[in-house]
């Protein structure tokens, strides 16, 4: 769990885990982790976290869980074309645009 430091036989330092990257449309609380440290993932407004939000740097110098993803939320209600008109999409997700025409 700890790395022995030859220059100071009485000292041990924590091992480092690989650098984390935030998911698309999201954040991670830290990109660098050491033994037993944690990192927390979150998604931007309009997106839902798929996977585990918290990961721990293990004694084997790896993260305990795979990185999650941030998925766009579905919009509601279903859109309906106006009388004698059309709508480009009836369902969508965050940041999609629907166009109405007559």
């Amino acid at each position: 769990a700890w790395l022995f430091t030859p220059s100071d036989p009485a000292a041990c330092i924590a091992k480092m885990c690989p650098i984390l990257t935030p998911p698309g449309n999201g954040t991670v609380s830290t990109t660098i982790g050491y033994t037993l440290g944690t990192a927390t993932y979150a998604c931007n407004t309009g997106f839902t976290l798929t996977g585990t939000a918290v990961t721990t740097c293990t004694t084997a110098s790896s993260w305990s869980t795979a990185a999650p993803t941030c998925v766009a939320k579905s919009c509601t209600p279903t859109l309906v074309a106006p009388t004698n008109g059309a709508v480009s999409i009836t369902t969508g997700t965050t940041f999609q645009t629907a166009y109405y025409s007559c």
Side-chain angles (χ1 to χ4, degrees), residues 12-56:
C12 292
I13 57 172
K15 292 181 181 179
M16 188 173 177
C17 276
I19 293 174
L20 295 173
T21 55
N25 297 301
T27 60
V28 64
S29 61
T30 185
T31 58
I32 298 172
Y34 295 92
T35 306
L36 304 180
T38 61
T40 303
Y41 291 94
C43 292
N44 298 341
T45 301
F47 294 84
T48 301
L49 189 81
T50 301
T52 305
V54 178
T55 188
T56 302

Side-chain angles (χ1 to χ4, degrees), residues 74-80 87-94 96-98:
S74 295
C75 297
T76 58
T78 300
L79 301 177
V80 177
V87 63
S88 60
I89 58 174
T90 57
T91 60
T93 59
T94 303
Q96 277 189 306
T97 303

